[in-house]
Amino acid sequence: MANGQQLMADSQSQSLKLKSKYRMTRIIDGKEIASTIKTEIATEVKSLLDHGKPAPHLAVIIAGEDGAALSYVNSIEKQCKGVGYICSAYKFPANVSEKDFLATIDFLNRDDEVDGYIIQMPLPKQVSMDKVVAHVDPKKDMDCFHPINMGNLLLGNECYAPATPYGVMELLRRGGVETSGKNCVIIGRSNIVGKPLAMMLLQKDANATVTVCHSRTENLPQVCRRADILIVAIGKPEMITADYVKEQATVIDVGIHRIPDESQPKGYKVCGDVKFDDVAPHCEAITPVPGGVGSMTMACLLLNTMKAYKAKAKSEL
Ligand code: NAD
């Protein structure tokens, strides 16, 4: 069996195992939802190509050798290919000059064949985040870096939402979780997950009542136990136990970690910020890690690229 097929089969059997172990809990299968989105995109791309149109084109800029970042970029290249997109990856060594890095952004801004791009974090220390943001063209900003896109997100205007919060929203919507009128507690206030997600849940299409918690929140378990929907983006492996969760809540785990584990064939296990075995029996629904939010991030990056492609086509009419 090919590697990709084997991974898919492993993930499906993992999902089936969880579903049979926690019969009373609904496991929201991010991998399956992401796969549906990617099939929809691939169908749309085929139709574009059949009509003689170019394929959508996503570019990625990365500097350095960070393993997780490189593997994310490799995965973007693979997933783009899978749906029929063109993907260009600009991979620089960690000592790339700031001038060359910014020149690449300027080049992508001018390149009419590129619909959108992302700039992979972390940036090398000699490259200023402020300068990078100042160079990004909001029309090609697939990760919502630019203050114009973040402002539009806050105002509820059309924009490119950051891929992970966008993924959480799609997971809730397609996973059949009602948000309107629900108490939604987010743990984590980062600019890439917690804050934009809070804005999206507040908009009139979601209508949630939102609380955002962080490292200085007092009585965190007590605040979390008020949540109908608890969304966890802390970056602390398995920190959230059953003490933080109201009976029959929905729990969405954004965290993703590799923890050394000699009992596993690869020497590590992948887990989230939620202690799954402890929490799952108390939930109405929960996302697993892997196979939850992570799969959705990629699918939503592809959705943003299609949106940019269509916006460009419309502007050229
Ligand atoms: P971050 O480190 O930027 O932010 C973490 C947040 O958690 C902060 O706002 C901090 O105040 C809060 N926090 C930390 N310790 C806390 C505590 N003890 N109690 C309450 N709040 C606490 O992290 P991030 O970039 O938002 O990522 C969060 C997690 O999500 C990480 O595990 C990351 O790997 C994961 N992530 C996953 C995806 C994906 O596609 N699945 C994408 C982005 C991030």
Side-chain angles (χ1 to χ4, degrees):
M1 201 185 282
N3 210 14
Q5 284 171 314
Q6 182 62 55
L7 279 175
M8 185 79 87
D10 288 351
S11 159
Q12 275 163 356
S13 80
Q14 150 93 344
S15 168
L16 283 175
K17 268 188 221 155
L18 291 176
K19 279 175 185 163
S20 69
K21 186 170 174 190
Y22 301 102
R23 283 177 193 284
M24 304 304 284
T25 306
R26 198 157 62 84
I27 308 294
I28 305 177
D29 191 337
K31 197 131 200 159
E32 194 176 294
I33 298 173
S35 165
T36 305
I37 293 173
K38 283 184 270 182
T39 304
E40 289 166 6
I41 293 174
T43 307
E44 213 170 341
V45 175
K46 184 174 178 312
S47 161
L48 288 168
L49 297 177
D50 287 349
H51 287 84
K53 303 267 173 39
H57 186 162
L58 176 69
V60 187
I61 313 176
I62 179 168
E65 300 297 327
D66 182 275
L70 279 170
S71 101
Y72 182 56
V73 170
N74 290 341
S75 178
I76 292 174
E77 290 181 277
K78 202 170 115 203
Q79 302 279 344
C80 279
K81 202 169 161 201
V83 296
Y85 284 6
I86 301 162
C87 182
S88 310
Y90 294 80
K91 295 178 182 170
F92 291 102
N95 64 356
V96 60
S97 71
E98 185 180 64
K99 189 166 161 262
D100 286 350
F101 198 88
L102 297 176
T104 307
I105 302 176
D106 294 339
F107 169 75
L108 293 175
N109 289 341
R110 287 192 305 271
D111 187 346
D112 286 341
E113 288 178 9
V114 170
D115 297 295
Y117 54 80
I118 68 156
I119 298 157
Q120 183 59 44
M121 298 294 122
L123 292 178
K125 57 183 180 320
Q126 70 278 15
V127 178
S128 144
M129 183 66 184
D130 288 347
K131 287 189 193 165
V132 164
V133 170
H135 278 252
V136 166
D137 177 350
K139 290 197 290 300
K140 295 193 175 187
D141 173 24
M142 298 297 92
D143 250 350
C144 198
F145 265 21
H146 199 283
I148 286 188
N149 277 326
M150 199 51 98
N152 278 326
L153 187 85
L154 171 73
L155 295 169
N157 296 339
E158 196 62 29
C159 65
Y160 302 110
T164 301
Y166 187 5
V168 171
M169 296 304 291
E170 281 299 299
L171 198 65
L172 293 170
R173 191 173 71 80
R174 294 185 184 235
V177 179
E178 179 59 79
T179 54
S180 184
K182 302 293 177 196
N183 279 326
C184 186
V185 175
I186 301 169
I187 322 179
R189 59 176 164 185
S190 72
N191 288 341
I192 62 162
V193 186
K195 278 190 220 163
L197 185 55
M199 290 308 119
M200 293 170 92
L201 283 160
L202 273 179
Q203 302 302 337
K204 287 194 172 161
D205 54 350
N207 288 315
T209 302
V210 183
T211 305
V212 183
C213 302
H214 47 80
S215 51
R216 302 293 174 92
T217 299
E218 290 185 358
N219 304 320
L220 186 65
Q222 197 182 328
V223 178
C224 292
R225 282 197 299 270
R226 283 192 232 131
D228 302 308
I229 302 169
L230 179 64
I231 304 179
V232 190
I234 324 174
K236 302 253 161 81
E238 299 187 328
M239 182 182 132
I240 298 304
T241 58
D243 293 346
Y244 292 71
V245 179
K246 179 169 88 171
E247 286 297 319
Q248 292 302 298
T250 292
V251 175
I252 308 290
D253 190 355
V254 182
I256 183 148
H257 311 274
R258 270 186 189 183
I259 306 292
D261 182 346
E262 291 309 322
S263 70
Q264 301 293 322
K266 289 180 180 161
Y268 65 84
K269 71 167 184 173
V270 176
C271 69
D273 290 343
V274 174
K275 202 168 173 55
F276 189 92
D277 287 340
D278 194 40
V279 170
H282 301 276
C283 301
E284 190 278 316
I286 187 167
T287 58
V289 179
V293 174
S295 321
M296 295 297 295
T297 296
M298 184 67 69
C300 288
L301 180 60
L302 299 175
L303 281 176
N304 272 346
T305 307
M306 179 60 88
K307 194 176 195 177
Y309 175 94
K310 287 179 180 168
K312 189 182 79 183
K314 209 168 159 190
S315 74
E316 284 168 355
L317 285 179

